[in-house]
Amino acid sequence: MHIFLGDDDSVINSGNELWLTTVAGSNGEEEHDQQPAANGSSRLSAVFLIINAALGAGLLNFPQAFDQAGGIMTAVIVQVVLLGWIMGALLILAHCSDQTGARTLQEVLEGVYGRPGLIACSSAVALYCFGTCVTFLIIIGDQFDRVLSSLHGLDFCHYWYMNRNFTIVLSSSVFILPLCYSRRIDFLKYVSSVGVVTVVYVVILIVYQKYMGNFVPGPIKTSPTHWTDIFLVVPVICFGYQCHVSVIPVYACLRERNLNNFTLCASVAIAVCVATYTVAGIYGYLTFGSYVTSDVLESYSGSDILVLIGIVAVAIKTYTTYPILLFCGREAVSNLWANLLHDSESDVAVTERRRRITIATVWFILTLVLALLSPDIGSVIDILGSLAAIFIFVFPGLCLMQSTLHKDPHIILNKDKFVVLAAIIFILLGTFIFGVVFVQAAIRFYKKPPITVRLCI
């Protein structure tokens, strides 16, 4: 179990190299893999990893979210307000990671709350990452359906080699599964750069279609119909900017691990995400108005070669993001496995390797099966967005409060009183957002059950 350490105990500077101290692993094993900073990832690699973890299929939902929230101005204001909390949460988690010597989000919670914190956080991370991975595979199948229906015809799925069951299994086994066994998350820095490039293409495509697509938009809102409509954009924003599960492993692999470097990397990554989401949301909404669909690419003609490339780009982006979520989920399941089953193997390296391979393989197979059986993901992003609020607000708030109480149990200093108040606001705001968004998602699901429109006839 991690022990809460002071600021000076979390890292040791030796010459020009930064070494992480040896801390007890959350799986009951001692971490002896102290690696010099020279083996870590660069700032640019860390930026790409964070961007790739944050940017995803949520990009395609932003135009409709702008419509549901009551127009561009309302959605942008809500986004700006939430961004301050999102960035603050990233810095809090990094600070607590330094104090505890943690390398994952669940280890941060273990460092400040012990075993109960580890189990609660690991369960939430595993659930969120698993659900997201399932949606990624469904999205891959949807992109294949769009491309094949355009190139072959609407009877494409009657051919076994073009059926979505075959295309999902084959493509994910070739492009995703080999990337799921890496021990360190910075192994994915190269594929992350590819994922970022594909997203840039999709954004350029949305802007291009606004001026060259000759679309007639529906009514464009300038204010929300009901004030509660502003919360409809919250799950999309939370889901879109939720990289808090991934940033601690990225921070742990940073070559020069310190809060200043992390702040720079996180700021650049979030700035890129802001520009990407905002441009896609504004131009996508202005192109279609109230006629915009939940997946903005579905509103474009599938016969346009530029659109087909954009559809393929979304699939490629999904291939590059799935392994990052699986890595975080795999570590969470590994923590639960070790703590609940009380592993006590003598060969630590063999145990870790076997557990890593087993969890990754079973995880991939289960998500693949559920993706083949699940008909629709219409309400899944809303549910995942509500859960993302827990990672963005509640967990960082809990970490901030406990770390402050640890060094000042009686809250004597005025600075610590302010910090505790901020932590309470984080927790209350996150709980409120989670509750409101979850209830709204449940009501919308009940009133309008998800309907799957298949392209094959």
Side-chain angles (χ1 to χ4, degrees), residues 156-344:
F156 70 94
C157 74
H158 297 297
Y159 299 85
W160 65 269
Y161 52 87
M162 288 190 285
N163 187 281
R164 69 185 283 119
N165 290 345
F166 178 77
T167 56
I168 292 176
V169 172
L170 178 63
S171 64
S172 58
S173 297
V174 172
F175 298 115
I176 293 179
L177 186 59
L179 301 175
C180 295
Y181 299 110
S182 60
R183 188 170 183 271
R184 289 164 58 94
I185 198 171
D186 57 353
F187 169 78
L188 303 170
K189 58 189 176 184
Y190 302 109
V191 295
S192 293
S193 61
V194 176
V196 173
V197 171
T198 60
V199 170
V200 172
Y201 175 83
V202 173
V203 174
I204 293 175
L205 173 66
I206 293 174
V207 176
Y208 173 82
Q209 292 290 335
K210 167 65 177 71
Y211 295 107
M212 305 300 293
N214 297 319
F215 294 100
V216 178
I220 296 177
K221 297 179 181 179
T222 57
S223 61
T225 305
H226 303 286
W227 73 270
T228 54
D229 289 348
I230 63 175
F231 291 105
L232 296 176
V233 75
V234 171
V236 178
I237 294 176
C238 289
F239 183 71
Y241 287 98
Q242 201 295 111
C243 55
H244 299 62
V245 173
S246 310
V247 292
I248 303 304
V250 172
Y251 182 36
C253 294
L254 198 59
R255 183 176 303 158
E256 299 178 24
R257 174 173 168 159
N258 58 67
L259 201 55
N260 290 335
N261 273 334
F262 175 80
T263 302
L264 176 62
C265 295
S267 299
V268 172
I270 295 299
V272 173
C273 292
V274 171
T276 303
Y277 283 134
T278 304
V279 171
I282 291 175
Y283 280 90
Y285 182 49
L286 291 178
T287 302
F288 301 105
S290 60
Y291 300 150
V292 68
T293 57
S294 59
D295 180 346
V296 68
L297 288 184
E298 293 181 357
S299 300
Y300 301 120
S301 173
S303 60
D304 188 336
I305 185 62
L306 296 179
V307 175
L308 287 179
I309 295 175
I311 294 172
V312 173
V314 171
I316 294 174
K317 172 65 179 68
T318 307
Y319 289 132
T320 64
T321 307
Y322 181 106
I324 296 178
L325 271 297
L326 183 143
F327 177 91
C328 298
R330 187 192 73 200
E331 293 302 303
V333 174
S334 180
N335 293 147
L336 291 174
W337 180 337
N339 278 269
L340 296 179
L341 298 182
H342 303 290
D343 275 356
S344 58

Side-chain angles (χ1 to χ4, degrees), residues 53-56 58-59 61-62 65 75 78-83 85-86 89-90 128 132 230-245 270 273 277 325 380-394 429-438:
L55 283 178
L59 173 75
N61 299 101
F62 262 74
V78 174
Q79 183 178 213
V80 170
V81 172
L82 289 178
L83 279 172
W85 296 91
I86 290 170
L90 292 175
Y128 176 84
T132 306
I230 63 175
F231 291 105
L232 296 176
V233 75
V234 171
V236 178
I237 294 176
C238 289
F239 183 71
Y241 287 98
Q242 201 295 111
C243 55
H244 299 62
V245 173
I270 295 299
C273 292
Y277 283 134
L325 271 297
V380 173
I381 287 182
D382 287 343
I383 301 297
L384 293 176
S386 64
L387 188 58
I390 300 295
F391 301 117
I392 296 175
F393 297 99
V394 177
L429 182 60
T431 304
F432 174 74
I433 292 177
F434 170 79
V436 171
V437 172
F438 186 85

Side-chain angles (χ1 to χ4, degrees), residues 128-151:
Y128 176 84
C129 293
F130 187 84
T132 306
C133 286
V134 172
T135 64
F136 282 170
L137 295 180
I138 296 175
I139 290 169
I140 289 173
D142 291 342
Q143 307 316 308
F144 268 107
D145 287 354
R146 285 288 308 279
V147 172
L148 294 175
S149 66
S150 299
L151 298 179

Side-chain angles (χ1 to χ4, degrees), residues 1-3 20-34 101 103 107 110 183 338 343-352 355:
M1 179 178 294
H2 286 294
I3 300 175
L20 295 179
T21 56
T22 300
V23 294
S26 58
N27 52 4
E29 301 156 353
E30 184 134 333
E31 301 282 354
H32 291 288
D33 59 334
Q34 296 175 335
R103 299 188 178 190
E107 288 181 4
E110 180 190 19
R183 188 170 183 271
D343 275 356
S344 58
E345 301 274 352
S346 58
D347 191 343
V348 174
V350 174
T351 303
E352 187 276 334
R355 181 186 302 147

